[in-house]
Amino acid sequence: QVQVAESGGGLVQAGGSLRLSCAASGRTRYDMAWFRRAPGKEREFVATINGSGGSTYSADSVKGRFTMSRDNAKNTVYLQMNSLKPEDTAVYYCAAAGGRWPSSRDNEWRYWGQGTQVTVSS
């Protein structure tokens, strides 16, 4: 069992920035991803990064604002969120071990964190 744990959520003003972290247990360098679920909406794909950190892929809704990266020594990935908007308010989930690259469907991911709340005020 691989444990995935997110942190870094909180309350931020529109236009501000926040960085989420996600640590995965073990030393396997899985592809990892961020998904989010906003109130009244289905869980949606945000971004993914491959095992080496050499490739990323992001949803159109966050391109140019959110950047995913990883520190392989810590087996930790990050989501740098800039220019935040109220519509970014959601519970953000980290996932590990997806399907064939680039995997953007939540049912293709094996391991999940508990989620961290991001609230963007207007």
Side-chain angles (χ1 to χ4, degrees):
Q1 177 79 307
V2 174
Q3 293 178 311
V4 178
E6 309 97 329
S7 62
L11 176 64
V12 65
Q13 188 176 359
S17 298
L18 204 60
R19 189 173 81 156
L20 306 183
S21 299
C22 174
S25 67
R27 294 190 175 186
T28 303
R29 294 178 180 177
Y30 292 112
D31 291 358
M32 298 186 74
W34 291 94
F35 291 79
R36 66 187 183 186
R37 186 188 296 275
K41 298 180 66 176
E42 296 183 353
R43 187 160 55 188
E44 67 173 350
F45 171 76
V46 177
T48 186
I49 190 166
N50 70 357
S52 69
S55 295
T56 60
Y57 175 76
S58 300
D60 288 344
S61 60
V62 306
K63 277 190 173 71
R65 299 189 299 123
F66 292 8
T67 302
M68 198 169 177
S69 61
R70 73 187 301 155
D71 181 342
N72 284 331
K74 298 180 179 179
N75 211 11
T76 298
V77 299
Y78 306 94
L79 184 68
Q80 179 65 48
M81 304 185 293
N82 298 326
S83 301
L84 282 161
K85 305 173 181 179
E87 52 263 45
D88 295 318
T89 295
V91 177
Y92 283 71
Y93 298 91
C94 182
R100 194 162 301 180
W101 179 266
S103 183
S104 61
R105 297 175 62 176
D106 57 1
N107 62 5
E108 295 176 347
W109 292 83
R110 184 173 181 181
Y111 306 110
W112 290 85
Q114 80 288 347
T116 185
Q117 176 71 47
V118 172
T119 302
V120 183
S121 62
S122 59

